[in-house]
Amino acid sequence: MVTIMKNYTEEARKKWSGTDAYAEYEKKTEGYGKEKWQRVNDGLLAIFASFAECKGQGFSHCSEEAQRLVEELKAYITKNYYSCTDEILSGLGQMYVTDARFRENIDRYGVGTAEYVSAAIASYCK
């Protein structure tokens, strides 16, 4: 997990280091130790698990339940990483299905969860 996070961190730095969101991310997370990172990442994964539960209960990606989870995801990202605008959120939603690493990580809670999250985000950002 640590190696994976280092790879993601390096990739993010290369892609977005010149953006305001990345500068905010660096400032917000500079004091995170190993335990804090674990708690923050576990919290994010718990939201994806909630999306899987929502999907499993038969709620549409545009249902109130799914849309509340999108709001929770957006607020969580903003609180723990950087200000998550609708534009950024939309890009994340697309990345969750186009990047096999993210899809696999999210789909560990159930096949199709990444697609469900992506569709819920797209509906939210309309």
Side-chain angles (χ1 to χ4, degrees):
M1 179 70 162
V2 173
T3 302
I4 292 169
M5 288 308 298
K6 284 182 182 178
N7 290 342
Y8 284 149
T9 301
E10 279 303 311
E11 187 175 327
R13 183 177 295 121
K14 287 177 185 174
K15 274 183 158 174
W16 297 297
S17 65
T19 66
D20 290 342
Y22 191 81
E24 181 183 358
Y25 163 82
E26 283 189 314
K27 184 176 182 179
K28 194 171 276 194
T29 63
E30 69 186 346
Y32 285 16
K34 183 179 177 182
E35 289 178 14
K36 173 72 173 183
W37 271 116
Q38 188 66 53
R39 280 193 312 274
V40 169
N41 290 330
D42 286 349
L44 183 62
L45 293 176
I47 295 170
F48 291 130
S50 294
F51 273 108
E53 290 174 22
C54 190
K55 177 182 177 288
Q57 292 174 3
F59 290 107
S60 163
H61 67 273
C62 55
S63 67
E64 286 182 36
E65 292 79 4
Q67 293 303 293
R68 274 196 299 271
L69 286 173
V70 174
E71 289 175 355
E72 182 181 342
L73 175 64
K74 183 179 178 183
Y76 193 85
I77 292 169
T78 296
K79 177 182 177 188
N80 294 287
Y81 302 103
Y82 49 81
S83 297
C84 187
T85 64
D86 284 355
E87 180 182 5
I88 290 172
L89 184 64
S90 179
L92 289 171
Q94 292 170 19
M95 184 175 65
Y96 294 158
V97 292
T98 60
D99 187 314
R101 299 166 301 174
F102 283 92
R103 179 187 288 269
E104 182 179 319
N105 196 33
I106 295 168
D107 277 355
R108 73 167 119 175
Y109 300 104
V111 175
T113 301
E115 190 71 42
Y116 182 81
V117 173
S118 180
I121 289 171
S123 180
Y124 179 90
C125 292
K126 279 186 185 178

